[in-house]
Amino acid sequence: MFDFRYLSYCGEETPFYDRPVHRAAEQDFPLGHTDVPPEWWRESDDEWVFLTPKGHRLPAQGWKVHVSATLENSADTLAVIWEYCRRERLPFKFIRGTHILHRRNGKYGDRSSSGKFATLYPDGEQGLERVLDGLGRLLDGRSGPYILSDLRWRSGPLYVRYGGFLMTQGRTPSGELVPCITDPDGRLVPDERRPGFHPPAWVPVPEFLAPAVAARRKGTLKDFPFRVHHALHFSNGGGVYQATDTRTGDTVLLKEARPMAGLDSEGRDAVERLRRERWAMDTLAGIDGVPAVIDVRVGHEHHFLAREFVTGRPLSEVVAERNPVLRDRLAHGDEAAAYTDWALDVLNKIDKGITAMHDRGVTFNDLHPGNVLVTDDDAVHFIDFEAASPVGEPTGQTVAAPGFSAPAGYTGTDADRYSFGCLALAMFLPHTILAAWGQEKTEHLIRLVSEAFPVPDHFLAQVRGSLNQSGEAVGASPVLWPRAVEDGTWSDVRARMAQGVLDSATTERDDRLYPGDIQQFVGAGAGAGLLHGTAGVLWALAETGCTPPPAHWDWLTARARDGRLGPAPGFADGLAGVAYGLDRTGHTDLARTVVGKAAQGLTADLDASLAAGWAGVGLTLLHFGMEERAAEALARMEDFTARYSTPRPGLLHGAAGHALFLIRQYEHTGESEFLDRAHDALLRDVHLWMSAGDLWKSVHGLAGPLGTAMVVHEYLGHRDDQRLREVRARITAAARTRFIPQTGWYNGRSGTLLALHHLSACDEDRAAVRRHLNDLGWNAVRQDGANLAFLGEHGLKLSTDLATGSAGVLLAMHTVLTGATCPVPFFGDRR
């Protein structure tokens, strides 16, 4: 499933993920950095600027006021808020710039925070009434997106909600940390931000808010001829519902659009896109595969479009079910030919549909497998015309899906043809994000398709014509990814990969040295950590015989000595992982200093996971021979698992990580009860994977079932168990599949490669290892002409880190090609 957070870290000026604030500081409001009166404190983070009168102390929770704003009126609205709050000595915070406001109000923004531009913190109910009256008179009539979780005050942009003023976290029954408030009995309860005004049951609504509550109740839809059965989809722009037309009894699809929300890249809101959708479907009425418009309504400030309900399944779902490469290791003979015939027939129908749209003067602008439905008899229907535009309109795509979005400069029918070329390739190998990395990768993708399926030459020519306009194959160029097993080119490949990592270093930055996953910016200190930061990259380079310059070592060791690594004691991105990396690279004394700081975190409120909790900390303490402190961590882990259910399976976040800790504790103590408890933990983890149905088969890398299989393998080294042996065999067999879209250790091919290398017991496993070595080249790109780099999560940007990028690939290949011990922490490095 695509994680839309990644889009926020995709700046055009760098091939790597980076902080949005670094890219758009010029769009910050001046109040965030110009002088403020000396009696005020100012603080800021990546999204918010906080202004507080000196000497003022916020209570933990209470009634607060949110102010909504649009991109156009936000600067003027902020000026009014600042003048009012300065006069009233009222603390508040505001979104630091229009670029962040655009993202939060965008189509893929969080519905619970959409619309919130500023937050004011009144002093009790009297202060709340004074703010609503005073600031309300100043801002009444201004527009802004409706804040779904709040109560609207009059007709202006002010909204009211009871919730936390200060960040207080507590755990849900599953152990997840969430924002909390305190109930009258002193217990922490979740500070919920679901749609609708829902103050806590113990908090009476002030009498002066009664008119606002009454107005909200009156705002419910009346004389609305559609009865909703269930929601099909939600986005920041509104919902999509299956409903019944009460006038006819027909099933319809109902689309909802929120004004000023769900902004696209051009700033158009969901209502404008709904109007475009109606225009497009009216213009295309009568064309096969285009649903008919039934009705358009406005109610409670939201706009609705009802259209014909189309039966069928998304093309992406049908392809995943039928494509032999996605279901098996390789496409074979008759099966590949039969699938090719079916796919070409469906593509021909899609091509005719797009051509008919163009003939009517409409550009679809968002063609991808999720917007094409296929019925049981293989009829094709097009849905979601909200991005459609007149053929002659010069603007490009605004909401196109990654992997199907045309490059800058493609407009109108050319953009649709580019998307069609991507869709055509995705029918055979749904990895079209590669096309965004240039003609060399496009040709690579075309070659992979032609090797696996008997596609005709005219099909390949059509695809080339759609994607590079000329229709010509790219000329000969140096081999991007040699077949490392057969060709014996590992030393050259290793040097080019390592140089690409080293050349990307940013020694001048404090938050990270080597660019990697967005997790570097999500967790404090993660840019120095093992999985996503400097410690892991330096370890991978050292293990593979590459030599980083002294300045790179200094970057990490200076932070380890002066305490700039952040407070988190965990393994993935915290102190335990940094200590582990330092120790594996020979910095033993400094590593022990850092692990000592992690051990001080045994008083912290951690979860039980290997990634960030007690299992990871405890395993690290065992690695350093600190058995007594490890026993404390184990007790904390088991106390946590006794109080909370673990909803996620796997090595990093689930009971498989707990089981690994218990197995290692058994090896240190010889006490069989630890092995008994490891067995129980593994059965819980396996049950969660199996209860997910077929989903587990498509989850690759060490964070998926393969990580669990590796722990099962460790358990079976001490005690036989028929069921667990069968589980290991089933997961190992599934890991031989060829299609793996991601690169990294924990979600991709390099982790699958490492696990199979560790588990391999037959010729079929070893053959799969060789295939994975060669297929790592799918996500390799040429960097600066000669170096090799690898696509990170989702393929939108490059990554160099251990978990998702080049460092992980480098270490995985080195391990397999040299027969080295498994480098996955706590598997091959037992003391």
Side-chain angles (χ1 to χ4, degrees):
M1 182 177 294
F2 188 81
D3 184 346
F4 288 102
R5 293 181 306 160
Y6 280 78
L7 296 176
S8 300
Y9 296 85
C10 291
E12 295 180 359
E13 68 279 4
T14 172
F16 301 103
Y17 293 114
D18 207 348
R19 291 180 184 272
V21 69
H22 284 174
R23 296 188 282 105
E26 70 278 1
Q27 298 179 44
D28 283 356
F29 296 111
L31 185 57
H33 51 78
T34 56
D35 289 341
V36 296
E39 64 272 17
W40 284 78
W41 287 111
R42 180 174 57 204
E43 297 178 291
S44 63
D45 59 25
D46 282 354
E47 291 197 337
W48 295 96
V49 177
F50 304 80
L51 282 166
T52 308
K54 291 181 179 179
H56 188 285
R57 297 189 64 182
L58 281 178
Q61 60 197 54
W63 290 100
K64 52 187 173 183
V65 175
H66 287 127
V67 185
S68 180
T70 66
L71 299 179
E72 294 75 20
N73 68 21
S74 55
D76 188 50
T77 297
L78 177 59
V80 174
I81 294 170
W82 171 226
E83 182 62 30
Y84 176 83
C85 290
R86 185 169 54 181
R87 183 174 65 249
E88 298 290 327
R89 290 186 55 79
L90 187 69
F92 73 105
K93 68 177 182 179
F94 62 91
I95 294 293
R96 62 182 301 157
T98 53
H99 55 301
I100 297 173
L101 183 62
H102 189 174
R103 172 163 51 84
R104 289 171 66 93
N105 289 346
K107 182 176 181 180
Y108 304 116
D110 182 357
R111 282 164 56 86
S112 68
S113 60
S114 176
K116 297 174 183 176
F117 169 63
T119 307
L120 285 67
Y121 302 96
D123 185 11
E125 291 186 8
Q126 289 184 346
L128 172 67
E129 186 174 16
R130 186 167 60 251
V131 170
L132 293 175
D133 180 60
L135 187 59
R137 282 188 281 107
L138 297 173
L139 294 178
D140 268 354
R142 293 177 185 243
S143 58
Y146 199 98
I147 299 176
L148 296 174
S149 60
D150 290 20
L151 176 67
R152 187 175 190 176
W153 177 253
R154 296 202 296 253
S155 61
L158 300 192
Y159 293 80
V160 179
R161 178 179 174 273
Y162 187 95
F165 285 13
L166 304 175
M167 175 55 74
T168 303
Q169 291 187 312
R171 295 194 180 275
T172 65
S174 64
E176 180 188 7
L177 274 176
V178 296
C180 286
I181 54 178
T182 305
D183 71 9
D185 296 325
R187 297 172 301 189
L188 290 178
V189 296
D191 186 2
E192 296 182 340
R193 294 170 172 84
R194 51 199 173 104
F197 179 59
H198 301 289
W202 71 86
V203 177
V205 177
E207 184 62 32
F208 58 83
L209 292 179
V213 174
R216 184 181 183 93
R217 289 172 180 161
K218 288 181 181 179
T220 54
L221 296 170
K222 291 183 174 61
D223 301 321
F224 195 64
F226 304 104
R227 183 173 65 251
V228 171
H229 298 304
H230 61 271
L232 302 176
H233 173 69
F234 282 115
S235 75
N236 199 15
V240 180
Y241 311 92
Q242 183 177 336
T244 296
D245 187 334
T246 58
R247 300 165 298 186
T248 64
D250 294 338
T251 299
V252 300
L253 185 127
L254 191 64
K255 295 193 72 172
E256 170 194 35
R258 297 176 55 213
M260 295 166 282
L263 305 180
D264 62 23
S265 61
E266 297 295 319
R268 292 190 287 257
D269 70 358
V271 173
E272 172 59 25
R273 290 200 303 278
L274 198 71
R275 293 192 184 105
R276 283 177 172 258
E277 182 154 20
R278 180 188 182 183
W279 163 81
M281 287 193 291
D282 284 343
T283 304
L284 300 174
I287 291 179
D288 286 346
V290 177
V293 175
I294 294 172
D295 202 349
V296 175
R297 297 271 172 156
V298 179
H300 193 41
E301 303 185 29
H302 291 194
H303 294 237
F304 296 88
L305 181 149
R307 67 155 172 82
E308 174 189 2
F309 190 87
V310 178
T311 58
R313 293 188 294 159
L315 178 60
S316 54
E317 184 179 307
V318 181
V319 168
E321 183 179 276
R322 299 183 64 154
N323 187 322
V325 167
L326 306 189
R327 292 187 292 105
D328 197 2
R329 299 183 294 278
L330 298 167
H332 293 289
D334 293 343
E335 188 178 16
Y339 176 80
T340 300
D341 291 342
W342 173 83
L344 293 176
D345 178 61
V346 170
L347 285 169
N348 182 54
K349 294 172 183 176
I350 295 171
D351 188 14
K352 288 181 178 179
I354 294 298
T355 299
M357 293 181 202
H358 294 170
D359 290 343
R360 288 274 186 96
V362 175
T363 303
F364 192 22
N365 268 335
D366 194 16
L367 180 63
H368 62 82
N371 280 348
V372 177
L373 301 185
V374 180
T375 64
D376 291 340
D377 60 355
D378 293 335
V380 166
H381 295 273
F382 300 91
I383 60 172
D384 206 356
F385 287 85
E386 65 177 31
S389 65
V391 163
E393 192 171 280
T395 58
Q397 296 168 311
T398 58
V399 292
F404 302 89
S405 175
Y410 282 66
T411 61
T413 58
D414 287 344
D416 273 355
R417 285 297 161 195
Y418 184 94
S419 297
F420 177 80
C422 291
L423 186 144
L425 289 176
M427 292 282 286
F428 298 95
L429 197 65
H431 199 28
T432 53
I433 197 69
L434 295 177
W437 292 90
Q439 290 191 24
E440 183 178 30
K441 291 307 295 182
T442 299
E443 198 64 33
H444 186 184
L445 184 59
I446 290 173
R447 186 172 69 252
L448 290 170
V449 169
S450 63
E451 289 173 353
F453 295 93
V455 291
D457 290 342
H458 69 81
F459 167 79
L460 300 179
Q462 181 186 24
V463 168
R464 286 192 179 100
S466 297
L467 297 182
N468 67 28
Q469 301 297 292
S470 69
E472 299 293 330
V474 177
S477 61
V479 176
L480 175 67
W481 187 253
R483 297 180 68 82
V485 179
E486 291 88 347
D487 296 349
T489 57
W490 166 232
S491 60
D492 175 64
V493 170
R494 176 183 59 186
R496 294 165 63 201
M497 290 168 62
Q499 197 60 49
V501 173
L502 295 174
D503 287 352
S504 69
T506 53
T507 54
E508 73 281 0
R509 287 182 60 158
D510 191 59
D511 59 340
R512 67 132 189 248
L513 174 61
Y514 300 109
D517 192 65
I518 69 169
Q519 184 61 33
Q520 292 184 331
F521 314 115
V522 175
L530 188 77
L531 293 196
H532 302 104
T534 305
V537 175
L538 288 174
W539 170 42
L541 292 170
E543 288 281 334
T544 54
C546 306
T547 307
H552 292 197
W553 289 107
D554 293 344
W555 192 96
L556 180 63
T557 57
R559 282 156 180 77
R561 291 189 179 97
D562 64 18
R564 281 184 286 164
L565 293 177
F571 184 77
D573 297 310
L575 295 170
V578 173
Y580 182 93
L582 287 169
D583 184 58
R584 293 299 299 271
T585 55
H587 295 76
T588 305
D589 292 339
L590 184 55
R592 289 194 171 277
T593 299
V594 175
V595 81
K597 296 177 181 177
Q600 295 172 9
L602 291 178
T603 59
D605 182 18
L606 304 181
D607 63 23
S609 71
L610 190 153
W614 298 116
V617 173
L619 282 163
T620 306
L621 293 170
L622 280 181
H623 172 84
F624 281 92
M626 302 169 67
E627 287 88 354
E628 291 185 8
R629 304 310 302 274
E632 294 179 46
L634 181 62
R636 297 294 296 270
M637 181 190 83
E638 297 203 293
D639 177 65
F640 187 97
T641 57
R643 289 185 291 129
Y644 303 107
S645 61
T646 302
R648 298 177 63 181
L651 177 65
L652 282 181
H653 303 285
H658 312 162
L660 182 61
F661 188 11
L662 288 162
I663 292 168
R664 297 295 177 248
Q665 187 73 353
Y666 161 76
E667 292 168 350
H668 276 77
T669 65
E671 298 177 19
S672 61
E673 64 181 85
F674 291 118
L675 212 53
D676 297 337
R677 302 209 291 265
H679 180 266
D680 293 342
L682 282 171
L683 290 182
R684 290 196 302 272
D685 206 69
V686 168
H687 173 74
L688 284 174
W689 282 124
M690 298 306 178
S691 64
D694 286 344
L695 174 65
W696 70 278
K697 294 181 181 178
S698 62
V699 181
H700 307 289
L702 300 175
L706 270 174
T708 299
M710 289 182 68
V711 182
V712 168
H713 185 73
E714 299 298 295
Y715 175 87
L716 293 173
H718 298 290
R719 182 187 291 172
D720 190 33
D721 184 282
Q722 176 66 23
R723 179 181 177 185
L724 289 179
R725 276 195 285 115
E726 292 173 355
V727 166
R728 180 181 61 182
R730 183 179 175 189
I731 294 174
T732 303
R736 300 171 194 148
T737 184
R738 189 175 185 195
F739 180 70
I740 301 178
Q742 305 283 11
T743 307
W745 270 28
Y746 289 94
N747 292 315
R749 194 182 300 276
S750 60
T752 302
L753 178 66
L754 280 173
L756 269 181
H757 176 69
H758 187 65
L759 297 169
S760 63
C762 64
D763 290 341
E764 202 168 5
D765 291 335
R766 287 183 278 274
V769 165
R770 289 192 293 273
R771 280 198 306 274
H772 287 317
L773 275 171
N774 291 321
D775 289 344
L776 276 168
W778 288 13
N779 286 345
V781 298
R782 206 178 300 278
Q783 184 182 12
D784 300 327
N787 297 334
L788 282 174
F790 283 85
L791 306 183
E793 292 292 284
H794 300 301
L796 301 175
K797 292 290 181 179
L798 306 178
S799 172
T800 67
D801 67 30
L802 184 70
T804 70
S806 297
V809 177
L810 186 67
L811 189 47
M813 291 192 67
H814 169 82
T815 300
V816 174
L817 294 176
T818 64
T821 303
C822 177
V824 180
F826 314 123
F827 283 91
D829 62 327
R830 282 174 280 173
R831 296 192 170 191

